[in-house]
Amino acid sequence: MGLIGPDGSGKTTLARELAARSESMGSNFLYVHWRPTLGTARHTIDDEGVPIAKVDPLDRVRTVDRIQSIARLARSAVMFNAAYFLRLRPQLRTGTVIVADRWIYNYVLQPYSVRYYASERLAAFVCRYLVIRPRLIFALGADPLVLSRRTEELSEDAIRLELERIHVKMRGLDVRWLDAEESPSSLAGQVLEQLRSE
């Protein structure tokens, strides 16, 4: 499953709850934060792997910035698919519960965080059609003011924009919304119930 939503919406907290529930049910659990790696067998939620860079938008986007952005997007698409087939798919076949925090969707939802300055439509196309996507995608949302109080990373306006981008840019995908103001235990129950019903 994939988890998306602004910083402060509780993706990592929900992933921890899902990990605990999976272990209590006797299932293996694998957590992928943003970019899956090919080298290690697994990493824990507290060892989140490759961090997402916190960068500001460029004042002026040059042609070279756009070209580099497209190259990064292409490289990421190849890496995500390779990681899925070489690392994640074998785990899925053994019944492992895999939570992908953000997956490749930062190219669509927070493009500056991955230094992407090229066409939004291209990024949406690549993320939607050229990269293997999670079977279920859950979006955590709440009032932007509430979420802005939980994080120093994004302003209330940035959170509002990201929530709007989820509604618009992820249209056509089966995105299931969760109320980020509910308890992690309640959210984990909802997620696992939907996972079982699929």
Side-chain angles (χ1 to χ4, degrees):
M1 70 193 78
L3 298 180
I4 58 175
D7 293 338
S9 60
K11 297 183 299 297
T12 305
T13 305
L14 174 56
R16 282 192 182 101
E17 184 68 26
L18 289 167
R21 296 248 185 139
S22 297
E23 289 175 16
S24 71
M25 294 185 303
S27 299
N28 291 328
F29 181 85
L30 179 65
Y31 174 72
V32 177
H33 182 261
W34 162 232
R35 181 176 295 149
T37 59
L38 296 173
T40 57
R42 68 175 53 224
H43 57 261
T44 66
I45 295 171
D46 295 319
D47 174 24
E48 295 181 348
V50 180
I52 298 173
K54 300 300 180 190
V55 296
D56 294 320
L58 294 178
D59 293 330
R60 183 171 136 293
V61 178
R62 303 166 300 162
T63 301
V64 68
D65 298 319
R66 288 188 181 91
I67 292 169
Q68 288 174 341
S69 293
I70 293 169
R72 274 193 293 275
L73 176 62
R75 184 185 68 212
S76 289
V78 170
M79 290 295 295
F80 275 81
N81 284 333
Y84 171 79
F85 284 109
L86 296 175
R87 182 171 167 226
L88 303 185
R89 190 172 178 189
Q91 295 279 341
L92 285 171
R93 288 183 170 166
T94 67
T96 298
V97 175
I98 299 177
V99 171
D101 183 339
R102 299 172 188 268
W103 196 233
I104 197 168
Y105 298 115
N106 264 35
Y107 277 100
V108 175
L109 304 177
Q110 285 185 358
Y112 301 128
S113 72
V114 289
R115 296 178 293 136
Y116 183 76
Y117 308 106
S119 164
E120 291 183 7
R121 293 177 79 181
L122 176 63
F125 178 84
V126 169
C127 293
R128 181 182 298 244
Y129 299 111
L130 301 183
V131 175
I132 300 292
R133 64 177 178 260
R135 191 171 74 178
L136 294 176
I137 302 171
F138 294 95
L140 284 92
D143 184 298
L145 179 61
V146 171
L147 297 181
S148 69
R149 291 178 179 153
R150 295 184 187 177
T151 181
E152 297 176 6
E153 301 293 331
L154 297 175
S155 68
E156 182 181 348
D157 287 339
I159 289 170
R160 181 174 287 106
L161 177 62
E162 187 171 342
L163 291 171
E164 288 172 6
R165 290 174 78 86
I166 293 172
H167 281 287
V168 174
K169 302 295 183 183
M170 304 290 283
R171 188 177 292 142
L173 297 180
D174 184 16
V175 176
R176 301 171 187 207
W177 284 88
L178 300 171
D179 183 353
E181 293 188 57
E182 291 189 36
S183 72
S185 177
S186 172
L187 294 175
Q190 293 173 47
V191 166
L192 291 173
E193 185 178 321
Q194 292 189 50
L195 195 62
R196 281 189 218 102
S197 69
E198 286 294 313

